[in-house]
């Protein structure tokens, strides 16, 4: 924790602030009001700004954002553009959760200079930790803008620190018309993203408007400073990290009952009208219901307080019944949530997230399906895309308007998938419910989460289906929040081995066409790998295999079979060969690169960039690389896309890529400071992942510009032909394109030619007539199949007469038990079904070990079930089976015991 000295600022002293200890929570705070006894933070203090705005006039979202940015811009801060809500520059989180996340880890660690210093920004952020509270609490949002001013100080140069930070905040608030006695600055240590520091929370009227963090600690093992159970030490740099809630500032300026009525009143009214819900905040009694809800929700932890208990307490405060309260407030809670969620989806899809079952795509689908469920409860029948379009029209992002055709198609597909999931899900839930009913247990939360995670079944639908069967369900109010929390952060990769000391000069970047070099052995690794001071051999990385080659010393040639990088050194693994002496530290060697392998990899790597760029041109700007792998004979590229790629689209991608080849465009590579590269090219640089370090290698192939460490040809013409071999969907939302380039493309084309000519030879037609001939043969084959089916049916009917004539009558029911030779399962099913139509009970078996049973109406009326007969008979064959009461099938591996099986089935029928 931090001492009083960390917070005793000259500004506080000069402005007459007093440091006090809150008599309720025990935390320290600073105030101008000598009479104040509490810190101003709920639950120590309630919301007092509702109905009594904090500022002198109302502001819209756009007005407040501009006021804030202009305030700091006029005081020496550079205004910078927002970052995307999908954190492309991070490998530990999927969504941008705070403005400081824009600058972690490279700027905050001091590796990379900031884009400006000091700077100000209004950064859209998405947090789904409290997803279930959105709409209910009156204050929670999935998407919010964090207005901020950041300063990146070093020990050599300080721009400003604590005093000026708090002074600027106070000046901003006073300029908006704040009562000087109303504000409190509450001391509260902050930690996040591997950093920590003292901070103050800015409270007015019970509402936290801002947090001012003075970040000067970094997390390290065995650090001497303990914050919230983590160990830290002082950083070489120190950072002003502030966060001002734009939506909260607007709410404070309006004093409306909820934050939703403050920030998008027009959309709330419009959606309420569409849902047929009257929402009249001019009605004082009606408005007070929502105000009381927000006040009380602000005083409690909604994760620990059930909505039912909260409703009772609010109803008691207002003096109405809980039933009337629910009837009034619940429809609007859904409307508030729908309006909030559609803004969240506008940002997610506008910034390029494709719904899927993994990573950021999973989180977008979570929001989509919760929105669709809320819309269903409100009887909103309009497409979700229309509501998202309303949000996009309010937001000033022209490129989103251009992308809306794609966004609409994505959302329409998601609605269709959701409807299909509901239908399939109900059947699956019934099976799950029956299983837990037998155990006399409720369906646990873990099972409900699994039903959603694995099968996409919303918890409310699962609960309805289960309760119809009489099964109980464990479903907390914060279900969606629990699911989101599991998926918000990326899975941590296993810690890599500690990098080796030393440095190998990488010659292949500056001399991509050289193939011989001389080098000195720096060291020998434990596994015998040779570490050189310089190398032309490319180490494996970025989906590209390593180079192969040789090292030679005194006429002795060593084959290099693997090349890996560890830290700044490159390890060359040598093939073991009898009679060769081991290389020693200090030896000089001559190296050679297998250029046939190198060029094959380089062609495929540069071709990958062209195919990716061509996919963007054909499919849309939403395309993002999800993975890539290159080899000598082919390469594959995984891209985010919301539907299957058609044959026509594949041909268009192939044609576009080959056009770029024929244009013989130069392939430009250069090392740039990370900040400069991001300014020039944006975060599309990180298609292949986020490279470490302050300098990144930027590869430009036509209009495709990426951070890339691989080897490339120097001109697109050197790639040769590019041939797309196939595409497949490897997971929901991700398409794989497999292709060959250069010699490999020629060989792939020759292999296809061989297949075509071989098929043409078999059919004895020229290759150009192959498709027409194959189609004719296929149609003839289908006709023959139909004739075969007709003959089978005739045969079954003929057998049917014999079987009915030989039927045994038991208790007024006709029983047919018969061996059917080598009949296939279709023949058995048809014959059994026909017997059932004649009101027989049938058990038919094939010498292949297949069994079919059917029960006619009279048998069904007496409770006889085909599935029960099959299970008894199949047991004799060492197998099992099942089906519907009127028709079932089964079998087993012991086909030689068919007579025993039929006998057992006959006894079951008689029983």
């Amino acid at each position: 924790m931090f001492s009083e000295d960390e917070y005793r600022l000259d500004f506080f002293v000069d402005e007459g602030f007093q440091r006090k200890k809150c008599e309720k929570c025990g935390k320290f705070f600073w105030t101008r009001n000598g009479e104040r006894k509490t810190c101003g933070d709920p639950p120590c203090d309630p919301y007092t700004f509702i109905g009594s705005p904090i500022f002198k006039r109302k502001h819209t979202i756009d007005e407040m954002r501009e006021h804030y940015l202009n305030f700091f811009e006029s005081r020496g801060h550079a205004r910078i553009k927002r970052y995307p809500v999908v954190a492309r520059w991070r490998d530990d989180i999927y969504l941008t959760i705070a403005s400081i996340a824009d600058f972690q880890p490279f700027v905050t660690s001091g590796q990379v200079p900031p884009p400006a210093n000091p700077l100000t920004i209004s950064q859209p952020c998405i947090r789904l930790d409290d997803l279930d509270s959105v709409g209910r609490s009156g204050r929670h949002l999935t998407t919010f803008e964090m207005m901020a001013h950041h300063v990146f100080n070093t020990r050599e140069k300080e721009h400003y620190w604590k005093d000026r930070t708090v002074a600027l905040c106070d000046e901003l608030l006073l300029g908006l018309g704040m009562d000087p006695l109303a504000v409190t600055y509450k001391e509260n240590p902050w930690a996040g993203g591997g950093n920590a520091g003292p901070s103050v929370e800015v409270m007015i009227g019970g509402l936290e408007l801002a947090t001012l963090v003075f970040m000067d600690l970094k997390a390290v093992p065995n650090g001497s400073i303990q914050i919230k159970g983590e160990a830290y030490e002082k950083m070489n740099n120190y950072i002003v990290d502030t966060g001002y809630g734009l939506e909260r500032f607007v709410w404070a300026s309006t004093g409306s009952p909820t934050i939703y009525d403050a920030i998008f009143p027009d959309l709330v009214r419009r959606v309420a009208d569409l849902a047929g819900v009257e929402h009249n905040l001019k009605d004082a009694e009606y408005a007070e219901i929502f105000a009381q809800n927000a006040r009380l929700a602000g005083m409690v932890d909604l994760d620990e307080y059930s909505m039912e208990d909260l409703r009772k307490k609010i109803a008691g405060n207002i003096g109405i019944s809980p039933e009337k309260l629910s009837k009034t407030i619940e429809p609007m809670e859904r409307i508030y949530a729908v309006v909030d969620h559609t803004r969240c989806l506008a940002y997610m899809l506008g910034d390029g997230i494709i719904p899927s079952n993994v990573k950021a795509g999973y989180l977008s689908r979570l929001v989509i399906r919760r929105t669709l469920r809320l819309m269903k409860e409100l009887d909103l029948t309009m497409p979700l895309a229309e509501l998202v379009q309303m949000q996009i029209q309010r937001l000033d992002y022209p490129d989103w308007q251009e992308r809306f055709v794609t966004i609409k198609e994505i959302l329409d597909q998601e609605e269709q998938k959701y409807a299909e999931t509901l239908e399939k899900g109900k059947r699956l839930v019934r099976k799950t419910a029956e299983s837990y009913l037998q155990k006399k247990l409720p369906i646990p939360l873990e099972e409900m989460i699994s039903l959603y995670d694995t099968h996409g079944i919303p918890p409310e639908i699962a609960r309805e289906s289960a309760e119809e069967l009489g099964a109980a369900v464990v479903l907390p109010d914060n279900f969606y929040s629990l699911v989101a929390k599991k998926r918000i952060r990326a899975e941590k990769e296993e810690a890599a081995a500690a990098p080796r000391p030393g440095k190998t000069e990488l010659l292949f970047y500056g001399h991509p066409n050289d193939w011989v070099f001389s080098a000195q052995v720096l060291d020998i690794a434990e596994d015998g790998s040779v570490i050189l001071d310089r190398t032309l051999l490319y180490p494996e990385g970025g989906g590209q295999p390593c180079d192969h080659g040789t090292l030679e010393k005194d006429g002795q040639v060593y084959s290099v079979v693997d090349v890996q990088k560890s830290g700044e050194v490159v390890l060359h693994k040598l093939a073991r060969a009898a009679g060769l002496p081991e290389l020693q530290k200090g030896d000089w060697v001559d190296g050679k690169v297998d250029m046939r392998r190198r060029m094959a990899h380089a062609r495929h790597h540069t071709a990958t960039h062209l195919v990716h760029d061509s996919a963007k041109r054909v499919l849309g700007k939403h395309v993002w690389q999800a993975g890539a792998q290159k080899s000598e004979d082919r390469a594959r590229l995984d891209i985010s896309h919301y539907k299957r790629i058609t044959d026509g689209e594949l041909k268009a991608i192939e044609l576009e890529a080959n056009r770029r080849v024929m244009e013989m465009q130069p392939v430009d590579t250069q090392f740039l400071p990370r900040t400069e590269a991001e300014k020039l090219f944006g975060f599309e640089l990180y298609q292949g992942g986020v490279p470490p370090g302050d300098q990144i290698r930027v590869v430009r192939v036509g209009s495709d510009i990426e951070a890339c460490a691989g080897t490339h040809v120097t001109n697109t013409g050197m790639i040769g032909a590019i041939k797309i071999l196939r595409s497949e969907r490897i997971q929901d939302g991700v398409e794989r394109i497999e292709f060959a380039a250069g010699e490999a493309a020629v060989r792939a084309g020759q292999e296809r030619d061989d297949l075509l000519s071989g098929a043409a030879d078999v059919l004895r037609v020229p290759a150009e007539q192959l498709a027409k001939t194959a189609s004719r043969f296929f149609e003839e084959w289908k006709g023959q199949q139909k004739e075969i089916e007709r003959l089978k049916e005739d045969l079954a009917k003929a057998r049917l007469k014999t079987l009915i004539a030989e039927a045994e009558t038991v208790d007024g029911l006709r029983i047919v038990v018969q061996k059917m030779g080598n009949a296939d399962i279709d023949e058995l099913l048809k014959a059994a079904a026909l017997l059932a139509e004649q009101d027989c009970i049938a058990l038919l078996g094939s010498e292949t070990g297949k069994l079919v049973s059917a029960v006619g109406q009279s048998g069904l009326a007496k409770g006889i079930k085909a599935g029960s007969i099959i299970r008894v008979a199949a047991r004799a064959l060492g197998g099992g089976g099942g089906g519907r009461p009127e028709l079932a099938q089964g079998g087993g591996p012991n086909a030689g015991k068919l007579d025993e099986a039929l006998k057992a089935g006959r006894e079951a029928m008689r029983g």
Side-chain angles (χ1 to χ4, degrees):
M1 302 301 283
F2 298 103
S3 68
E4 179 182 342
D5 291 342
E6 293 281 3
Y7 295 102
R8 184 166 291 282
L9 309 182
D10 290 342
F11 171 80
F12 285 147
V13 174
D14 294 344
E15 290 293 317
F17 281 84
Q18 299 177 39
R19 186 176 190 250
K20 296 194 168 193
K21 186 174 184 179
C22 178
E23 65 179 18
K24 291 186 177 179
C25 69
K27 297 283 183 70
F28 288 97
F29 65 96
W30 295 82
T31 177
R32 290 185 176 96
N33 185 351
E35 304 299 316
R36 189 172 190 98
K37 297 181 179 179
T38 50
C39 62
D41 192 7
C44 303
D45 286 278
Y47 288 169
T48 58
F49 68 93
I50 294 177
S52 180
I54 291 169
F55 303 136
K56 59 188 174 187
R57 76 171 184 87
K58 292 181 180 179
H59 288 71
T60 65
I61 283 272
D62 292 338
E63 289 170 346
M64 187 64 80
R65 182 194 302 113
E66 183 55 35
H67 179 89
Y68 178 91
L69 293 173
N70 184 62
F71 174 88
F72 281 96
E73 199 172 23
S74 66
R75 286 157 180 78
H77 296 69
R79 183 190 301 208
I80 67 168
K81 292 181 179 179
R82 77 170 184 96
Y83 284 43
V85 297
V86 53
R88 305 287 194 193
W89 60 96
R90 300 281 295 267
D91 57 12
D92 56 337
I93 55 175
Y94 301 129
L95 302 174
T96 307
I97 57 174
S99 61
I100 195 64
D102 298 348
F103 312 108
Q104 291 173 318
F106 299 110
V107 175
T108 55
S109 65
Q111 293 181 63
V112 173
N117 198 13
L119 61 83
T120 186
I121 187 173
S122 189
Q123 175 60 46
C125 304
I126 297 178
R127 293 183 189 174
L128 303 180
D129 309 62
D130 298 305
L131 187 56
D132 297 278
S133 298
V134 174
R136 292 176 174 176
S137 68
R139 73 179 188 278
H140 280 97
L141 301 165
T142 55
T143 312
F144 62 96
E145 283 191 47
M146 185 176 284
M147 304 184 296
H149 59 104
H150 294 291
V151 185
F152 303 92
N153 298 303
T154 65
R155 301 299 170 186
E156 292 74 33
K157 183 174 183 180
E158 179 180 297
H159 295 271
Y160 64 81
W161 191 223
K162 297 176 184 177
D163 278 284
R164 179 155 171 75
T165 301
V166 180
L168 285 167
C169 175
D170 210 61
E171 184 185 353
L172 173 73
L173 295 172
L174 289 169
L176 286 166
M178 169 198 75
D179 176 0
L181 298 179
V183 66
T184 60
Y185 294 92
K186 179 184 175 184
E187 299 176 9
N188 193 23
W190 174 90
N195 299 111
S199 78
V200 291
E201 295 171 349
V202 185
M203 313 296 306
I204 309 178
L207 185 65
E208 182 184 346
L209 287 176
T211 302
L212 314 178
V213 179
F214 306 105
M215 186 193 299
D216 61 353
L217 300 175
K218 62 181 178 182
V220 293
N222 306 315
S224 59
I225 303 169
Q226 294 290 317
I227 306 291
K228 298 180 180 179
E230 295 288 333
Y232 294 86
E233 68 178 18
K234 285 286 186 181
M235 297 160 55
N236 291 327
N237 54 343
Y238 50 108
I239 298 163
V240 173
D241 168 25
T242 67
Y244 295 70
L246 171 59
E247 289 79 5
R248 291 194 171 203
F249 267 70
V250 173
W251 191 16
S253 80
T254 65
S256 60
T258 75
I259 198 168
Y260 320 108
D261 294 299
I263 62 177
F264 18 60
D266 52 337
L267 274 184
V268 168
R269 284 193 299 271
R270 191 168 176 185
V271 175
D273 289 343
L274 289 167
V277 175
E278 187 176 350
H279 184 56
N280 181 17
L281 292 179
K282 292 180 180 178
D283 181 328
E285 183 181 349
Y286 176 82
E288 183 59 21
I289 291 174
F290 292 92
Q292 282 281 3
N293 181 70
R295 290 187 191 107
L296 189 55
M299 299 288 286
V300 300
D301 184 344
L302 294 179
D303 284 345
E304 298 177 2
Y305 218 95
S306 76
M307 293 309 299
E308 184 180 352
D309 290 341
L310 193 62
R311 293 276 185 272
K312 288 178 182 176
K313 195 162 186 176
I314 295 168
N317 288 356
I318 302 172
I320 63 173
S321 69
E323 292 75 22
K324 182 179 178 182
L325 176 68
S326 295
K327 189 176 179 181
T328 302
I329 208 168
E330 285 180 6
M332 282 310 303
E333 287 178 339
R334 296 186 183 104
I335 288 165
Y336 290 147
V338 165
V339 174
D340 166 87
H341 291 6
T342 49
R343 181 172 71 153
C344 181
L345 292 172
Y347 274 103
M348 284 178 154
L349 303 181
D351 279 355
I353 296 176
I354 300 297
S356 70
N357 293 328
V358 295
K359 301 182 179 179
Y362 176 94
L363 298 171
S364 67
R365 180 166 287 166
L366 178 69
V367 177
I368 287 170
R369 294 195 167 179
R370 186 167 194 266
T371 309
L372 289 170
R373 193 262 302 170
L374 291 165
M375 289 174 66
K376 186 175 184 295
E377 291 176 355
L378 287 165
D379 289 327
L380 277 173
T381 56
M382 64 193 304
L384 174 58
E386 287 187 24
L387 291 173
V388 173
Q389 187 176 28
M390 291 179 194
Q391 293 284 8
I392 289 175
Q393 289 168 345
R394 295 175 70 253
L395 298 163
D396 187 22
Y397 301 121
D399 56 324
W400 289 6
Q401 296 282 5
E402 294 171 16
R403 292 186 196 180
F404 184 70
V405 172
T406 299
I407 292 171
K408 181 180 185 306
E409 193 172 353
I410 290 171
L411 289 170
D412 289 348
Q413 281 201 2
E414 285 297 307
E415 284 205 58
Q416 184 179 344
K417 287 179 183 177
Y418 179 70
E420 292 168 358
T421 297
L422 293 185
E423 191 57 40
K424 294 176 184 175
K426 288 176 182 177
R427 295 195 295 270
L428 183 61
V429 171
R430 281 195 286 270
K431 286 184 181 178
T432 304
E434 287 169 358
S435 170
Y436 280 95
L437 274 172
Q438 289 175 2
K439 301 174 188 175
K440 297 182 179 179
L441 292 172
I443 301 177
L445 175 60
E446 294 76 16
E447 188 73 51
M448 296 293 285
I449 291 176
S450 176
L451 285 168
Y452 179 83
D453 259 354
T454 309
H455 305 285
I457 304 168
E460 299 82 8
I461 302 300
R463 178 170 57 190
E464 287 172 13
S465 298
E467 289 177 349
E468 284 174 6
L469 294 174
V473 170
V474 177
L475 184 60
D477 288 335
N478 63 338
F479 176 88
Y480 285 98
S481 302
L482 294 172
V483 170
K485 284 175 183 175
K486 289 174 61 181
R487 301 295 192 104
I488 286 171
R489 293 191 172 271
E491 292 184 9
K492 289 185 178 180
E493 296 182 1
E494 291 185 16
R500 290 179 168 275
K503 185 174 183 178
T504 301
E505 184 184 355
L506 308 178
L507 302 174
F508 46 79
Y509 287 140
H511 307 277
N513 296 318
D514 288 1
W515 64 285
V516 295
F517 67 101
S518 295
Q520 188 175 26
V521 177
L522 289 180
D523 203 355
I524 307 294
E526 294 79 4
D527 66 351
S529 293
V530 176
I531 301 170
L532 302 178
D533 67 336
R534 58 209 305 262
T535 187
L536 272 175
L537 291 156
Y538 177 78
E540 179 183 9
Q544 179 177 325
C546 65
D547 284 341
H548 287 174
T550 60
L551 298 179
E552 182 179 347
K553 177 183 180 292
D554 299 333
Q556 304 282 351
V557 179
Y558 304 79
S559 294
V560 180
V561 295
D562 190 22
V563 187
Q564 298 291 330
K565 197 166 185 230
S566 174
E568 295 294 311
V569 302
V570 177
L571 295 91
H572 304 72
K573 188 172 184 177
L574 309 180
R576 295 187 178 278
L580 278 179
E582 292 186 358
L583 291 174
Q584 302 295 321
K585 183 177 179 179
D587 286 346
W588 283 90
V589 294
D590 294 319
K592 292 182 180 178
V593 180
D594 178 349
M595 287 302 286
R596 185 182 182 86
R597 177 181 170 90
R598 157 73 71 79
M599 287 306 297
H601 290 160
R603 288 189 183 102
H604 278 112
H605 203 144
T606 309
T608 300
H609 287 234
L610 287 185
V611 172
H612 177 252
D613 185 51
S614 300
K616 273 184 174 291
R617 292 169 184 262
V618 172
L619 303 177
K621 294 180 180 178
H622 63 276
V623 166
W624 189 270
Q625 181 176 317
Q629 188 66 48
K630 302 91 185 173
S631 68
E632 289 186 71
D633 59 355
R634 65 187 56 206
R636 68 171 190 255
L637 172 68
D638 300 337
I639 58 171
S640 59
H641 189 49
Y642 53 92
K643 61 180 179 179
R644 291 305 318 271
I645 303 175
T646 66
D647 289 341
E649 288 168 337
L650 275 181
K651 288 176 182 176
I653 293 168
E654 183 179 83
L655 186 59
E656 277 289 328
N658 279 288
R659 282 173 177 160
R660 303 287 90 76
V661 169
M662 291 183 286
E663 287 170 2
M664 299 182 68
Q665 298 176 348
V667 176
D668 179 65
T669 62
Q670 58 179 319
F671 282 90
L672 289 173
R674 181 182 296 274
T675 303
E676 182 182 342
E678 289 177 353
K679 280 183 180 178
L680 288 171
F681 308 118
F683 298 109
E684 290 205 0
L685 278 170
Y686 302 133
Q687 295 280 346
V690 185
D694 59 333
Q695 296 277 323
I696 58 177
R697 183 170 180 255
V698 177
V699 176
R700 186 200 298 253
V701 185
S703 56
D704 182 85
I705 305 171
E706 300 181 31
C708 178
T711 61
H712 289 270
V713 297
T714 55
N715 183 293
T716 59
M718 294 173 67
I719 297 171
I722 296 174
K723 182 63 186 172
I724 291 181
L725 307 176
R726 66 191 185 108
S727 74
E728 63 176 323
R729 169 144 289 193
I730 59 169
Q731 66 187 44
D732 195 20
V734 179
E735 293 284 304
R736 173 168 290 170
I737 301 174
E738 197 170 297
F739 59 93
E743 288 182 24
V746 175
R747 287 194 299 271
Q750 291 172 342
E751 288 170 7
R752 288 196 174 185
D753 288 345
D754 291 343
L755 286 172
L756 287 172
S757 60
D761 288 346
V762 169
L763 297 177
R764 298 180 182 177
V765 295
E768 57 268 21
Q769 294 182 21
L770 184 60
K772 184 178 178 181
T773 304
S775 177
R776 177 168 57 82
F777 279 5
F778 180 66
E779 291 301 320
E780 291 174 0
W781 174 82
K782 283 200 298 184
Q784 291 170 352
Q785 287 297 109
K786 287 179 182 178
E787 180 63 16
I788 290 169
E789 290 299 313
R790 187 188 65 77
L791 291 171
K792 279 184 179 181
E793 195 165 326
D794 288 347
L795 181 60
K797 287 177 180 177
R799 284 182 176 178
L800 177 67
K801 293 178 182 177
T802 305
L803 292 173
I804 292 173
E806 295 174 355
E808 175 187 359
T809 301
V810 177
D811 196 20
L813 299 174
R814 288 184 294 175
I815 294 175
V816 177
V817 178
Q818 185 67 42
K819 281 199 289 188
M820 302 289 286
N822 285 314
D824 61 27
I825 193 69
D826 289 334
E827 291 177 277
L828 294 177
L829 286 166
K830 281 184 180 178
L834 288 169
L835 287 166
E837 286 177 10
Q838 298 300 315
D839 206 22
C840 295
I841 303 172
L843 174 62
L844 307 179
S846 165
E847 291 174 2
T848 60
K850 303 293 184 185
L851 295 167
V852 171
S853 177
V855 179
Q857 290 300 318
S858 298
L860 291 171
K862 292 192 175 187
I864 299 172
K865 296 180 180 178
S868 301
I869 297 169
I870 279 292
R871 280 191 285 273
V872 171
R875 200 176 299 130
L877 299 179
R884 303 188 304 276
E886 67 274 14
L887 185 66
Q889 61 179 299
N894 302 326
K897 295 186 177 182
L898 180 59
D899 289 336
E900 291 179 34
L902 294 176
K903 183 180 178 181
R906 186 190 297 272
E907 293 303 318
M909 290 177 177
R910 287 174 173 165

